[in-house]
Amino acid sequence: MNSQDEQVSPLLDRIKQALHTPQDNPSKGAQILADISRLQLAVETPLETIYRIGHQTWQNACVRIALELGVFDILVAKKETSVGVQELACANGADPLFLVRIMRVVTALGLCAEVGFEYYQANPKTEIMTVPQGSSSFKSWFDIFTPTAAKLPEYMLSQDYQNPTRSTTSAFAYTNGSEFWTHLGKTPVHSQIFNDFMATRRQGRQRWYDIYPVGQVLSASLSNADTDTPGESNVLLVDVGGNRGHDLVELRAKYPDLGGKMILQDLPDVVAHASFEHNDDRVIEAMPHDFFQPQPIRPNHLVAGQLQTL
C-alpha cells in the first residue's frame, strides 16, 4: 500500500461509519465534511491544491454575476423543467456565449445542474440562492468584504505586518476610506445587503438559546425581580448590535412566559426597520444605540446581563 492509499483508506472507512450514525447527531455533518476535505487533500497533487485555491476568486465572481443576472431565480421558477441558455439569455439580456461560460462554473460548484447540452435545472442548492439567507450572504461577502481582502496584503505591508488595533485604521478603512459602520451609513446598498444577511444568517441553524438553559437561568434570575415596575429595573436582557431583533423575536416565541423587557440596540437606521410580531404588550423594545458608546442601560439594572451578538 502506497502513502496515498494509507491516507485514503482510513478516511473512506470513517466516512462510511459516519453515514451510519443517527441523523439527529449534530456533529455528523461536520465530521463527514471534515473527512471529505482531508480526502480531497490526500488525493490532490500539490499543484492541484494550489490551482483550486487560486481559482476561488474567479468562482465567486461567476456566482455573483449569476446572482445579478437572476439565473437562480429563473431556474427555481421553472424547477420542474430544464431551461436552455437561449431562454436564460433572453430573460436577462446577456450574451449566450458569455452565459455558457458563467454556467460552467456555477454547475461545477453544484449550485444548479446541467441536465443536457447547455440546459440547466434547479437543485436544492439553487433555491438557497433565491432567498436573503443565501443571496444577501453572498452579496455581503463579495460586494462589501472581497475588495478589502484583495487589498489586505498591500495594507499589511504598509503596517509592517502589525496587528491593527483601531477600526479607523483597519484594512477595511484603508480600502474604503472609512471604518465599517461609517461606510454602511454612507452606502445604502451595502447597508441593505448587510442587514438582510444579519437578519437571516442563523435561520435553520442552532441558536444560542438552544444551548444555553434560558428558561432555567433567566426565570430563576427574575423570580425575585419586580417585573411590573416600569423602567430599567425590569429589563431581562439587552441584545447589543442585534440588527432588526430577529433573535429576540424567536427567543420570545420559544419562551413566551419569560418576564421582563427585552431591549434591542443597534444603529438608528437599522432599528427603524425592526418589526416585532406578537408584541402588543411591548415586551420587546427598540433603542437606537452605537455600541462603541457607553451603555445607556446600566449593568446594575439588568436582571440577566447583556446579550452581545457582535
Side-chain angles (χ1 to χ4, degrees):
M1 180 179 293
N2 60 37
S3 59
Q4 185 182 78
D5 291 339
E6 290 175 351
Q7 296 180 65
V8 169
S9 294
L11 288 169
L12 289 174
D13 291 339
R14 284 175 50 167
I15 293 170
K16 291 176 183 177
Q17 183 178 1
L19 290 172
H20 296 291
T21 60
Q23 291 292 333
D24 59 355
N25 185 338
S27 64
K28 176 178 179 176
Q31 177 187 335
I32 293 174
L33 287 172
D35 283 335
I36 288 174
S37 295
R38 296 186 186 100
L39 184 63
Q40 180 177 16
L41 289 169
V43 174
E44 284 179 333
T45 67
L47 185 60
E48 287 170 337
T49 300
I50 295 304
Y51 276 16
R52 173 172 55 80
I53 294 171
H55 287 142
Q56 288 173 355
T57 302
W58 301 104
Q59 292 172 357
N60 290 347
C62 290
V63 174
R64 183 64 184 89
I65 291 169
L67 271 171
E68 195 67 23
L69 292 175
V71 167
F72 303 112
D73 296 297
I74 296 169
L75 294 179
V76 168
K78 298 187 175 184
K79 62 181 177 181
E80 301 302 325
T81 60
S82 60
V83 180
V85 72
Q86 294 295 334
E87 184 177 351
L88 283 175
C90 287
N92 53 44
D95 180 342
L97 177 59
F98 169 73
L99 200 50
V100 166
R101 298 174 69 186
I102 295 298
M103 295 306 291
R104 286 176 187 151
V105 177
V106 172
T107 54
L109 292 172
L111 295 179
C112 66
E114 185 171 14
V115 294
F117 182 66
E118 297 180 358
Y119 273 80
Y120 311 97
Q121 192 164 5
N123 61 26
K125 310 292 186 186
T126 318
E127 295 186 14
I128 193 66
M129 300 302 288
T130 64
V131 297
Q133 189 179 23
S135 61
S136 294
S137 298
F138 200 91
K139 290 176 183 178
S140 215
W141 298 324
F142 192 87
D143 295 9
I144 303 175
F145 299 116
T146 294
T148 299
K151 282 280 190 179
L152 187 59
E154 176 185 313
Y155 165 76
M156 292 309 302
L157 175 62
S158 74
Q159 301 295 307
D160 293 325
Y161 301 101
Q162 300 303 299
N163 193 56
T165 57
R166 293 186 297 166
S167 62
T168 53
T169 57
S170 65
F172 189 93
Y174 178 87
T175 304
N176 296 280
S178 61
E179 55 84 34
F180 181 69
W181 304 108
T182 303
H183 173 79
L184 290 189
K186 297 189 304 183
T187 318
V189 64
H190 283 181
S191 179
Q192 181 68 45
I193 290 170
F194 180 74
N195 287 325
D196 287 345
F197 164 47
M198 293 299 293
T200 59
R201 66 192 179 95
R202 298 297 304 176
Q203 288 179 358
R205 303 168 70 184
Q206 197 172 37
R207 302 280 188 159
W208 66 270
Y209 45 76
D210 296 323
I211 303 170
Y212 185 77
V214 171
Q216 175 186 345
V217 175
L218 296 190
S219 294
S221 299
L222 282 166
S223 61
N224 296 320
D226 182 5
T227 56
D228 294 325
T229 301
E232 295 179 358
S233 61
N234 69 332
V235 172
L236 173 67
L237 57 83
V238 180
D239 189 351
V240 182
N243 196 254
R244 298 169 185 163
H246 37 277
D247 261 7
L248 296 184
V249 170
E250 294 184 16
L251 174 64
R252 192 188 180 198
K254 185 165 184 175
Y255 296 99
D257 297 327
L258 282 176
K261 295 285 187 182
M262 301 182 187
I263 307 298
L264 166 69
Q265 291 181 344
D266 213 306
L267 296 176
D269 61 326
V270 177
V271 298
H273 295 91
S275 177
F276 311 129
E277 296 180 358
H278 312 297
N279 193 46
D280 294 339
D281 52 1
R282 294 182 58 81
V283 166
I284 305 174
E285 295 183 1
M287 174 187 292
H289 177 58
D290 178 350
F291 55 57
F292 291 111
Q293 301 304 314
Q295 174 56 245
I297 300 181
R298 303 263 57 89
N300 59 308
H301 289 295
L302 292 178
V303 175
Q306 299 171 359
L307 162 67
Q308 299 197 14
T309 55
L310 305 183

XYZ file of all heavy atoms in Angstrom, residues 163-196:
270
model
N -0.494 43.931 13.939
C -1.927 43.724 14.084
C -2.647 45.056 14.274
O -2.274 45.839 15.144
C -2.207 42.808 15.287
C -3.621 42.307 15.297
O -4.066 41.704 14.324
N -4.345 42.556 16.371
N -3.674 45.358 13.463
C -4.383 46.626 13.616
C -5.132 46.674 14.944
O -5.653 45.660 15.415
C -5.352 46.644 12.429
C -5.495 45.223 12.017
C -4.199 44.557 12.337
N -5.190 47.844 15.539
C -5.829 47.988 16.848
C -7.006 48.952 16.844
O -7.719 49.047 17.827
C -4.807 48.482 17.894
O -4.244 49.733 17.439
C -3.695 47.450 18.081
N -7.204 49.690 15.742
C -8.302 50.646 15.679
C -9.092 50.455 14.394
O -8.511 50.223 13.319
C -7.776 52.080 15.744
C -7.132 52.463 17.078
C -6.776 53.932 17.082
N -5.787 54.228 16.043
C -5.483 55.464 15.635
N -6.121 56.502 16.149
N -4.560 55.647 14.715
N -10.408 50.558 14.501
C -11.259 50.382 13.327
C -11.016 51.468 12.288
O -11.170 51.236 11.079
C -12.731 50.369 13.734
O -13.106 51.613 14.319
N -10.631 52.639 12.735
C -10.410 53.753 11.808
C -9.137 53.606 10.985
O -8.944 54.312 9.995
C -10.358 55.089 12.578
O -9.386 54.993 13.629
C -11.717 55.427 13.172
N -8.249 52.705 11.397
C -7.031 52.445 10.624
C -6.957 50.979 10.211
O -5.875 50.432 10.019
C -5.778 52.823 11.437
O -5.774 52.100 12.679
C -5.747 54.313 11.719
N -8.111 50.351 10.091
C -8.185 48.928 9.741
C -8.006 48.735 8.245
O -7.972 49.701 7.465
C -9.545 48.362 10.158
O -10.580 48.978 9.393
N -7.925 47.481 7.830
C -7.834 47.170 6.406
C -9.090 47.633 5.674
O -9.027 48.089 4.525
C -7.631 45.671 6.214
N -10.234 47.525 6.324
C -11.484 47.977 5.703
C -11.442 49.479 5.466
O -11.806 49.970 4.396
C -12.677 47.608 6.577
C -14.009 47.833 5.908
C -14.631 46.799 5.222
C -14.627 49.071 5.941
C -15.838 46.999 4.569
C -15.834 49.291 5.293
C -16.452 48.256 4.618
N -11.002 50.242 6.482
C -10.905 51.691 6.337
C -9.878 52.064 5.270
O -10.072 53.014 4.495
C -10.546 52.328 7.671
N -8.774 51.340 5.200
C -7.734 51.568 4.197
C -8.307 51.401 2.784
O -7.993 52.163 1.872
C -6.597 50.583 4.429
C -5.453 50.641 3.451
C -4.390 51.520 3.643
C -5.421 49.786 2.348
C -3.329 51.559 2.748
C -4.368 49.811 1.447
C -3.321 50.701 1.651
O -2.276 50.730 0.762
N -9.171 50.418 2.623
C -9.743 50.111 1.315
C -10.878 51.050 0.944
O -10.999 51.486 -0.203
C -10.255 48.660 1.287
O -9.191 47.772 1.628
C -10.805 48.290 -0.082
N -11.728 51.374 1.923
C -12.974 52.083 1.628
C -12.992 53.547 2.052
O -13.965 54.261 1.776
C -14.138 51.352 2.309
C -14.334 49.955 1.761
O -14.930 49.767 0.713
N -13.814 48.957 2.479
N -11.959 53.991 2.748
C -11.898 55.384 3.139
C -12.584 55.712 4.446
O -12.566 56.857 4.899
N -13.212 54.732 5.080
C -13.853 54.920 6.386
C -14.034 53.560 7.025
O -14.002 52.526 6.344
C -15.207 55.624 6.252
O -16.107 54.865 5.456
N -14.215 53.558 8.364
C -14.411 52.281 9.037
C -15.779 51.706 8.665
O -16.614 52.374 8.061
C -14.242 52.440 10.558
C -15.116 53.492 11.201
C -16.490 52.961 11.516
O -16.613 51.775 11.843
O -17.447 53.748 11.459
N -16.006 50.463 9.064
C -17.124 49.678 8.547
C -18.479 50.350 8.755
O -19.268 50.501 7.806
C -17.114 48.289 9.207
C -18.220 47.391 8.727
C -18.222 46.906 7.439
C -19.254 47.020 9.581
C -19.239 46.074 6.987
C -20.262 46.196 9.148
C -20.254 45.713 7.849
N -18.781 50.757 9.994
C -20.122 51.261 10.285
C -20.358 52.602 9.594
O -21.479 52.870 9.123
C -20.329 51.369 11.797
C -20.091 50.047 12.470
C -19.035 49.696 13.250
C -20.918 48.880 12.368
N -19.151 48.391 13.651
C -20.289 47.863 13.123
C -22.122 48.591 11.722
C -20.823 46.591 13.260
C -22.658 47.316 11.847
C -22.002 46.334 12.608
N -19.344 53.438 9.502
C -19.475 54.695 8.770
C -19.721 54.425 7.292
O -20.536 55.089 6.647
C -18.209 55.562 8.952
O -17.997 55.798 10.338
C -18.345 56.880 8.213
N -19.013 53.452 6.763
C -19.191 53.073 5.349
C -20.616 52.639 5.082
O -21.216 53.040 4.072
C -18.212 51.954 4.994
C -18.442 51.382 3.626
N -18.010 52.006 2.476
C -19.088 50.241 3.231
C -18.369 51.283 1.426
N -19.020 50.208 1.851
N -21.180 51.820 5.968
C -22.560 51.380 5.771
C -23.516 52.570 5.782
O -24.473 52.619 4.996
C -22.971 50.379 6.857
C -22.330 48.993 6.815
C -23.007 48.079 7.828
C -22.395 48.366 5.425
N -23.259 53.522 6.664
C -24.107 54.701 6.726
C -24.061 55.524 5.455
O -25.043 56.184 5.092
N -22.927 55.500 4.759
C -22.760 56.275 3.532
C -23.132 55.493 2.279
O -23.209 56.070 1.194
C -21.299 56.735 3.403
C -20.824 57.677 4.499
C -19.460 58.252 4.183
C -18.423 57.165 3.947
N -17.071 57.735 3.695
N -23.327 54.172 2.428
C -23.559 53.316 1.265
C -24.828 52.499 1.487
O -24.770 51.341 1.949
C -22.346 52.382 1.030
O -21.126 53.118 1.208
C -22.375 51.764 -0.351
N -26.000 53.059 1.178
C -27.270 52.381 1.478
C -27.391 50.979 0.886
O -27.946 50.089 1.538
C -28.317 53.326 0.872
C -27.663 54.668 0.873
C -26.210 54.398 0.614
N -26.854 50.762 -0.308
C -26.992 49.433 -0.914
C -26.224 48.396 -0.109
O -26.698 47.265 0.082
C -26.521 49.449 -2.389
C -25.034 49.768 -2.506
C -26.851 48.119 -3.075
N -25.052 48.756 0.416
C -24.289 47.837 1.257
C -24.977 47.640 2.608
O -24.982 46.533 3.161
C -22.860 48.349 1.456
C -21.985 48.130 0.268
N -20.657 48.507 0.241
C -22.240 47.558 -0.933
C -20.128 48.190 -0.934
N -21.073 47.620 -1.656
N -25.553 48.709 3.138
C -26.281 48.602 4.407
C -27.446 47.634 4.283
O -27.677 46.796 5.163
C -26.772 49.985 4.835
O -27.500 49.899 6.045
N -28.183 47.725 3.180
C -29.330 46.840 2.969
C -28.883 45.388 2.848
O -29.470 44.490 3.466
C -30.083 47.258 1.709
C -31.321 46.422 1.397
C -32.423 46.622 2.414
O -32.725 47.754 2.788
N -33.026 45.537 2.891
N -27.837 45.164 2.068
C -27.324 43.800 1.887
C -26.862 43.220 3.219
O -27.192 42.086 3.572
C -26.158 43.798 0.874
C -26.649 44.083 -0.542
C -25.418 42.456 0.904
C -25.520 44.323 -1.530
N -26.088 44.011 3.970
C -25.540 43.520 5.234
C -26.644 43.243 6.249
O -26.622 42.215 6.942
C -24.544 44.534 5.793
C -23.922 44.105 7.099
C -22.955 43.107 7.116
C -24.301 44.682 8.301
C -22.377 42.697 8.309
C -23.732 44.281 9.501
C -22.774 43.282 9.508
N -27.623 44.132 6.357
C -28.701 43.929 7.324
C -29.572 42.732 6.960
O -30.036 41.999 7.842
C -29.543 45.199 7.446
C -28.809 46.299 8.196
O -28.050 46.029 9.131
N -29.010 47.538 7.792
N -29.807 42.519 5.672
C -30.544 41.316 5.249
C -29.760 40.059 5.596
O -30.328 39.047 6.019
C -30.808 41.363 3.736
C -31.881 42.370 3.358
O -32.618 42.819 4.262
O -31.984 42.710 2.171
